[in-house]
Structures are given as C-alpha cells and as structure tokens.
Amino acid sequence: MFFIKKSNQKIGLLHKFIIDKIYYKKGGNKMIMEIQGNQNLTGVVNIGGCKNSAVAIIPASILCDEEVRLINVPQIDDCFTLLEILKSMGHGVTIEDNEIIIKPCKKIKYNIKSDLVVKLRGSYYFLGSMLSKNKKVKTYYPGGCDLGSRPINYHLDGFKKMNVTIKTKKNMLILKTKKLIGEEINLEFPSVGATINIMLAATKAEGTTIINNCALEPEVEDVAKFLISMGANITGLGTKRLVINGVKKLFKTTFTLMPDRIEAGTYLILGAAANGRALTVNNVDTHHLKSLTNLLRSIGCTILEKDNSVTISKSKPLKNFAISVSPYPGFPTDLQQPLTTLMTQIEGASEVTETIFSNRFSQVEELLKMGADIKVVGNTVKVMGKTVLMPGKLKAKDLRGSAALVIAACLSEGVTTIENMEVFFRGYEYPIKKLAALGIKCKIISR
Ligand code: EPU
C-alpha cells in the first residue's frame, strides 16, 4: 500500500509521496532531476489513469448528490491540487492508492478563492460544474502550461447562451444564472475544454443542450461516461454532436478512468528513440494510440499490439518524416514536443507542424544546448538528424516540453540535470519508478 489519507487530513502533505516518496517543499526549492542516460533501455511500463480525464472528472464529481468513488486516478500533482480545491469547498476526500472517494457537502462554498486554481488548466471545469450544481461561482481564471494565448471565450460564450451572466473583477470571474437553460451551441473549433465545460453545465440544466462541432478526444467521452454512470442523459458520444438532456439529480457511482494515452505515447516515443531490445507499455487502450503507432510503424518501428499492451522495437535505422498535429483522431499536440526529440535520432530532415497552440516549442532551446540541429520556422519544428545528444544543464518550462527533455536525457551518454521539474510531476505518475523499470537511473536533487 502506498498511502491512505482521510478527508480531515491535509492533502497538501501528499506532495511528499507523489514524487516517488521524495519530499520537496511546495513553493520553496525548485525541483531538479538528475538523469543518467542509457541508450540500451528496455522493459515494461505500467501506464496510469488519464490526466486529462481526471482533471475534469474530479471537478465534475461535485455534481453528484451522493458519494463518488473513482478508480485508476493518476497520482499526479494536478489531481492533488484539484482535490485540495474540493476540500476547500467543503467536500470530504479520501485517497487510497489510485482510488478516491469524494463525499458531497451540505453547503458548498461558491467562492473558490483558492490560489490553487491558478496552478492548472483543469480548474476551469469548476465553472461548468458549479453553474450546474449551484447556479453561481466566483473564481480565478485558470493557469496551466504557457503554450501561447489560451482564451476561454468558447466556454464563456456557451455559458452565456445558456442564460449565464458573466462579470470579471480584476483576475476573478463571477458567473451567475437564475436558471440554466439548454441551448444549441456551435463551437467554432472543437475545443476539448469548452466541450467538457458546456457538457458539465448542461448536465443539470433545464431542457436539451446540443453541442455541435464538439471535440472527439477520448477524454471527452470518458467524462461523458462518468456523468452517465451517475444518471446524466447524454447521447452522441464519439460523434461531432453531443446531446445532453438535463436531469434533476445524479446518483452514487463507482467509475474507472481510462488509461493515459499521452503517458503511454511518451514512453513509446522513448522506446522508438533508444537502442534497447524492446519497450512495452501495459494497461493502455490501443485504439487511442493509433495515430502514433501508425506513424512509428511507417518510419520502420516494429509495433506489437496485444489486448491492452503495445511493444515497440526496431531492427533498422528509422526513416525521416513530416507530420502535422491535429484534433483527435489526428496526431496529438501533446506528443509534438516528445516527437521532436525522436526526430534528433533519425538521419536526415524531419519536421512536425503545431496547429493547435501558438507557442508550444519550449523544448527547442533546451535541445539546442544538447547539440541538436533544431529550429522553429513559423509553426513548424524542423530537425536535421542524427545527433549524438550531449548531457546538459536544462530547464523545463511546461509539462510535455519537460517530457521531451527527459527522453533526450535518457538518450544522452552521461548525466543531465533538468531544473523546474515541478511541471513534469504535474502530469506524469511515478516517473522515477517507471524509468527505473526501463533501466534508467534518475533522482531528484534540490537547488
Ligand atoms: N481555444 C480558444 N478558445 C477557447 C478554447 C480554446 O480559442 O475558448 C483555442 C485554444 O487557444 C487552442 C485550441 O482552441 O488554440 C484548442 O484548445 P482546447 O480547448 O482544445 O485545449 P484545452 O482544453 O485548453 C486540453 C488539454 C491539453 C491538450 C488540448 C488539446 C486539459 C486540461 N488540457 O486543453 O492538454 O493539449 O486539450 O488536446 O485537458 C497537456 O496535457 O499537456 C495539455 C496541454
């Protein structure tokens, strides 16, 4: 057993355990990770529950009028931050390993003052869930990785259409409605966040809400399945048109979160880039990984899919390639940064075009320090390989950028240190343990 915490205990203390039992002071010392490269890495990684489902399902749990039991919740900082927010609102939270029980409170605090809200993006799901549950909410704009401009106008426009008044005061958002009314909402872009937030608001709204051009990402479906498990009336899952008929009450549930396709993809990219015998990711949904496994196969990797696992190996040099990211089922933007590290290990020119976020290239400056021939032209990352990456002193700036640097450090011969690794632990569960299972030695050292 890893740990048990009861609802009356301070969840903040759990940060002690999240990072593979190594304590770091919150808001204090910056976390530095030291990685000893090993090109011959090989082994099996067990993939955890999905971060981007969890960060919506935890705020969505307040919609339930009874107890919610969540299984396969990833033990990552973003989840613990959201659970701290839930507690500050009055909810009971019990955590045992990857299972969480959330108990409703009699009187929910609608003023979510907590500074924790600005630590991550997923906190914006309290807007939709609080409107649906409580008809009003006062909170901060969300934080999250700096990937260029990240407006939430689609969320707010959707709420407005559903009869919500919106005021902003300094950096606070105040949303109120006398009665949430179902509406037909056409999204300009299939935004993951806006689709989920409007779906949350619509769950207990009066009448029918239709979301056209909604996001198809599997995380949207996972959140919809969670809501349905509590009695929500949602149809059109997996299509571009979600139909939500508002219900009055939601009931007790036990729900298992889907596996994290981006965590799995990150390790598969590491396997493709290294020279080991084989790397297997277990506990995955192979369908969710198709855009990646198709790419890796097409450039020469051997991919073996079996039930809920994927094994990657290679017997010849990989072919260079060009690809663009796009909404699901396209190649995910969340794997664009790790993919650029793989590109440095392939002979010739490769490129990846980022079409979702305006500035998701923080890894480039750091890979240059390791000797990579890499540049950003417009919204395309261009790489000329193959490069023997040198160990370096790097700085992580965002979650998936940090994953790109971890892969690079694993490939480099020698010891690399990466500072600001708090961003990595926001979204990757037990990375030290999982990398150790592949033969990679790494540890946290403080500045
Ligand atoms: N956009 C708007 N207005 C909006 C909403 C989005 O202009 O109201 C734009 C964004 O600026 C962006 C594009 O639409 O250019 C797509 O944004 P989307 O709303 O789909 O992204 P998100 O909800 O902010 C989620 C994930 C991201 C993931 C994207 C795309 C969470 C908490 N975040 O972000 O995950 O990259 O969908 O799949 O679910 C990560 O895990 O590292 C991460 C950043």
Side-chain angles (χ1 to χ4, degrees):
M1 195 178 69
F2 198 48
F3 61 78
I4 301 177
K5 283 278 162 183
K6 298 288 180 217
S7 56
N8 60 353
Q9 289 179 299
K10 264 191 135 186
I11 287 176
L13 293 175
L14 292 177
H15 282 267
K16 206 187 222 173
F17 298 95
I18 302 165
I19 56 167
D20 296 274
K21 294 185 180 171
I22 295 155
Y23 177 67
Y24 76 97
K25 229 173 161 183
K26 269 205 306 172
N29 290 346
K30 290 275 181 206
M31 199 199 293
I32 301 175
M33 195 162 165
E34 186 182 273
I35 301 174
Q36 168 78 57
N38 173 10
Q39 273 275 351
N40 298 319
L41 59 90
T42 184
V44 180
V45 179
N46 292 318
I47 298 304
C50 176
K51 164 186 166 278
N52 286 343
S53 292
V55 298
I57 286 174
I58 293 171
S61 66
I62 69 165
L63 286 169
C64 190
D65 304 298
E66 297 171 0
E67 184 179 290
V68 168
R69 185 162 160 250
L70 300 175
I71 299 173
N72 203 29
V73 180
Q75 295 205 8
I76 53 175
D77 274 9
D78 273 10
C79 285
F80 286 92
T81 303
L82 288 167
L83 292 168
E84 283 193 56
I85 295 173
L86 272 190
K87 269 182 61 67
S88 74
M89 294 165 79
H91 290 271
V93 177
T94 309
I95 305 168
E96 186 170 350
D97 295 331
N98 294 84
E99 285 192 28
I100 292 175
I101 293 172
I102 298 163
K103 291 201 171 108
C105 55
K106 287 213 171 70
K107 198 168 181 325
I108 196 162
K109 286 186 194 144
Y110 82 96
N111 187 351
I112 314 177
K113 275 195 247 162
S114 172
D115 289 351
L116 298 168
V117 168
V118 299
K119 284 183 74 180
L120 77 167
R121 199 79 194 151
S123 56
Y124 59 15
Y125 292 126
F126 282 112
L127 297 175
S129 60
M130 281 294 281
L131 280 172
S132 204
K133 168 98 181 176
N134 200 50
K135 297 195 172 61
K136 59 182 174 185
V137 57
K138 189 171 168 187
T139 188
Y140 293 94
Y141 273 96
C145 293
D146 180 5
L147 312 174
S149 156
R150 294 181 79 179
I152 57 166
N153 55 317
Y154 304 151
H155 307 230
L156 300 181
D157 290 349
F159 296 149
K160 262 188 223 158
K161 255 193 130 177
M162 296 174 75
N163 196 34
V164 174
T165 55
I166 298 172
K167 284 190 192 148
T168 48
K169 215 175 181 182
K170 291 189 181 158
N171 54 348
M172 281 205 100
L173 271 165
I174 304 153
L175 273 59
K176 281 187 193 162
T177 180
K178 285 209 167 69
K179 190 197 275 179
L180 264 183
I181 301 172
E183 260 292 346
E184 181 149 4
I185 292 160
N186 302 311
L187 291 178
E188 205 175 304
F189 181 87
S191 152
V192 172
T195 303
I196 293 177
N197 233 342
I198 294 167
M199 178 167 70
L200 296 181
T203 297
K204 284 185 165 178
E206 190 173 295
T208 302
T209 302
I210 296 169
I211 313 174
N212 292 316
N213 194 29
C214 61
L216 293 177
E217 270 68 7
E219 290 76 12
V220 174
E221 199 171 320
D222 211 35
V223 180
K225 283 180 180 163
F226 166 67
L227 294 170
I228 291 168
S229 78
M230 298 192 290
N233 183 341
I234 305 172
T235 53
L237 271 59
T239 74
K240 297 294 281 176
R241 183 179 158 93
L242 279 174
V243 180
I244 305 122
N245 287 302
V247 296
K248 290 230 155 19
K249 204 169 153 50
L250 294 178
F251 304 93
K252 188 171 175 158
T253 189
T254 295
F255 184 79
T256 303
L257 276 71
M258 70 177 207
D260 195 310
R261 65 193 171 103
I262 305 301
E263 186 197 15
T266 303
Y267 285 104
L268 286 174
I269 290 173
L270 173 61
N275 289 325
R277 291 187 303 282
L279 186 153
T280 299
V281 286
N282 267 344
N283 310 334
V284 300
D285 184 328
T286 56
H287 301 288
H288 295 165
L289 292 166
K290 282 289 172 214
S291 62
L292 174 66
T293 48
N294 287 343
L295 170 74
L296 294 176
R297 247 191 216 110
S298 75
I299 62 172
C301 296
T302 304
I303 303 279
L304 217 81
E305 291 167 82
K306 206 174 147 204
D307 302 327
N308 59 353
S309 80
V310 180
T311 299
I312 185 162
S313 59
K314 62 182 181 193
S315 52
K316 53 182 189 250
L318 301 183
K319 286 185 279 196
N320 55 337
F321 62 92
I323 194 170
S324 267
V325 310
S326 55
Y328 193 83
F331 191 89
T333 169
D334 292 342
L335 290 178
Q336 173 263 113
Q337 291 167 296
L339 194 70
T340 60
T341 308
L342 168 62
M343 283 154 49
T344 68
Q345 301 307 296
I346 300 175
E347 204 72 53
S350 292
E351 59 180 55
V352 56
T353 301
E354 173 59 60
T355 62
I356 310 283
F357 292 107
S358 60
N359 193 6
R360 199 172 201 178
F361 308 117
S362 71
Q363 79 283 13
V364 170
E365 196 184 327
E366 306 304 306
L367 292 175
L368 278 170
K369 291 183 195 163
M370 301 179 85
D373 183 345
I374 183 169
K375 61 183 174 191
V376 184
V377 181
N379 60 344
T380 299
V381 184
K382 293 179 181 259
V383 176
M384 184 60 76
K386 172 179 183 175
T387 302
V388 177
L389 294 172
M390 293 176 296
K393 282 191 172 127
L394 311 178
K395 183 167 184 181
K397 288 167 195 143
D398 54 77
L399 172 61
R400 308 302 173 188
S402 65
L405 304 187
V406 169
I407 296 174
C410 291
L411 301 175
S412 149
E413 276 180 28
V415 177
T416 291
T417 55
I418 314 175
E419 66 173 285
N420 202 32
M421 283 299 270
E422 291 88 343
V423 292
F424 186 56
F425 286 90
R426 280 187 45 206
Y428 286 88
E429 183 188 59
Y430 309 142
I432 295 175
K433 194 167 93 184
K434 293 185 186 186
L435 288 167
L438 297 175
I440 295 287
K441 284 188 196 141
C442 50
K443 59 183 181 195
I444 299 295
I445 50 172
S446 281
R447 188 158 60 185

